[in-house]
Amino acid sequence: MSGVADGTMTDAPLAEAAAVLQAGGVIGLPTETVYGLAANAADEQAVTSIYRIKGRPADHPLIVHVADALAAQQWAEWTPAAQRLADAFWPGPLTLVLRRRAGAPPFASAGQDTIALRVSSHPVFQRLMQALAPVGITGLAAPSANRFGRISPSRAAHVRSGLGSAVPLVLDGGPSEVGVESTIVDLSRGAPVLLRPGGISLQALADCLGQPVRAADSQATREADAPRVPGALPSHYAPSVPLRLLSAGALAALLQQRATALSAAQTPVIDGLPMGRIAVWRPEPPPEQPGLFWRCQPTEVALAARHLYDTLHQLDALGVDAILVEQPPAEPAWRAVQDRLQRAAAAG
């Protein structure tokens, strides 16, 4: 099912998607962050289908996507902080974790008394929510439309190649504009905590709230009272082959080791990893070597985020032994890209 380049779409595929969702089905849905695997969040069997298709553990909650802040208040105990953030960043790549409202459907919360909510800015999402309003669907559970732990999809083609016939209807809204998953802020425990970095910076959140926002490290996310959220596992977003995240100097040295092995007619095995065919994602082209495939890593953070998953999908499809990625700058603006690459590297 296709859209057009500017993300607009005729009424027919939207009507078909609404009918599938009303009947308890699951669809592929574009958002500005990544493509989602969407189902009616108030339908227990439909939400169960998401977990089954993704192979996602049942104790991992899903984000519920709603039309606006007013709809969010049907699902959560709303707070002044939530209103300030919603006014500033919705619709957009921000997810709020709040106490789930009494009586709100619990199926996307994975047994927790909190719920994660977001309003996507993608025009296809906005129009679909308008089509769903008359049939009473106010929230779509929509995790990334990929197998659990694998590279997230930023194009409709990624959904089709990754999930195949398990998701027969994929709305094509073009490539995702942001390219990495939403920023997640926990407002359920008093002081705000950043649980997952994304397209909205820590400083922008703090400026909006008028108070510091703590960034949860891996230890903080394991606290007993911290809500579980998507994408917080040490290993996630991974290609099918090992990914190595290296400083510029370490990557150059590794490539030199590989060149030396090749010149000696040896099969390159470095740190126990075969490197007969490798893919490299770094800003500058590496010296030419047999079996080396290079993609240019953007030096502007928004472009790097937008192209991250699409590039990893491309490189993973080459049938290489490993993907080598140059460490992005250690700057706050690069926090989300760093986070995704570190978790992808942890899988290998």
Side-chain angles (χ1 to χ4, degrees):
M1 191 67 65
S2 299
V4 295
D6 63 359
T8 60
M9 184 171 288
T10 62
D11 290 338
L14 289 166
E16 182 182 357
V20 170
L21 293 167
Q22 189 177 8
V26 178
I27 68 166
L29 175 67
T31 80
E32 77 280 21
T33 57
V34 298
Y35 273 69
L37 187 62
N40 180 3
D43 183 329
E44 182 176 10
Q45 292 305 311
V47 173
T48 299
S49 294
I50 290 178
Y51 282 94
R52 173 181 52 78
I53 292 169
K54 280 183 65 71
R56 187 185 184 96
D59 63 349
H60 284 55
L62 309 177
I63 295 172
V64 176
H65 294 65
V66 296
D68 50 34
L70 187 62
Q73 294 171 47
Q74 301 176 41
W75 292 83
E77 296 177 5
W78 205 241
T79 67
Q83 189 63 54
R84 284 195 293 274
L85 290 173
D87 287 342
F89 301 113
W90 277 3
L94 176 67
T95 294
L96 302 179
V97 175
L98 297 156
R99 292 289 175 184
R100 183 163 41 84
R101 186 173 179 175
F107 313 121
S109 294
Q112 300 185 134
D113 60 2
T114 55
I115 190 164
L117 296 166
R118 185 166 94 86
V119 179
S120 170
S121 63
H122 198 288
V124 172
F125 168 84
Q126 294 279 331
R127 290 182 60 199
L128 180 60
M129 294 308 297
Q130 293 172 6
L132 292 172
V135 298
I137 296 178
T138 63
L140 294 178
S144 56
N146 58 328
R147 300 292 180 189
F148 182 70
R150 291 305 183 186
I151 307 171
S152 297
S154 57
R155 295 178 180 270
H158 300 158
V159 182
R160 298 189 187 102
S161 63
L163 298 179
S165 61
V167 187
L169 178 59
V170 180
L171 297 178
D172 189 343
S176 298
E177 181 180 359
V178 176
V180 295
E181 294 81 358
S182 60
T183 303
I184 300 181
V185 178
D186 178 20
L187 299 176
S188 70
R189 298 177 292 154
V193 179
L194 176 71
L195 295 183
R196 181 176 72 184
I200 298 171
S201 72
L202 198 66
Q203 189 60 54
L205 297 168
D207 290 345
C208 176
L209 292 172
Q211 67 180 112
V213 178
R214 180 167 65 88
D217 56 18
S218 58
Q219 179 60 42
T221 58
R222 291 195 294 266
E223 294 172 0
D225 61 343
R228 295 183 301 277
V229 294
L233 293 178
S235 172
H236 215 75
Y237 316 112
S240 63
V241 300
L243 184 147
R244 294 288 186 267
L245 186 58
L246 303 160
S247 68
L251 178 52
L254 188 150
L255 292 176
Q256 182 57 52
Q257 285 181 265
R258 183 176 185 271
T260 300
L262 290 171
S263 66
Q266 298 172 355
T267 301
V269 178
I270 302 171
D271 294 332
L273 183 65
M275 292 196 179
R277 287 166 56 86
I278 61 170
V280 176
W281 194 43
R282 75 176 199 178
E284 298 297 326
E288 290 190 13
Q289 295 181 6
L292 186 154
F293 304 88
W294 170 69
R295 295 291 187 276
C296 182
Q297 183 186 99
T299 56
E300 198 278 314
V301 62
L303 283 177
R306 188 177 306 154
H307 292 290
L308 171 61
Y309 291 141
D310 191 37
T311 300
L312 291 183
H313 277 285
Q314 291 178 39
L315 298 179
D316 201 26
L318 293 173
V320 294
D321 298 317
I323 298 172
L324 309 179
V325 177
E326 183 174 313
Q327 184 88 35
E331 299 171 1
W334 288 82
R335 184 190 296 269
V337 174
Q338 287 271 15
D339 174 81
R340 303 315 189 269
L341 287 172
Q342 288 166 0
R343 296 179 195 275

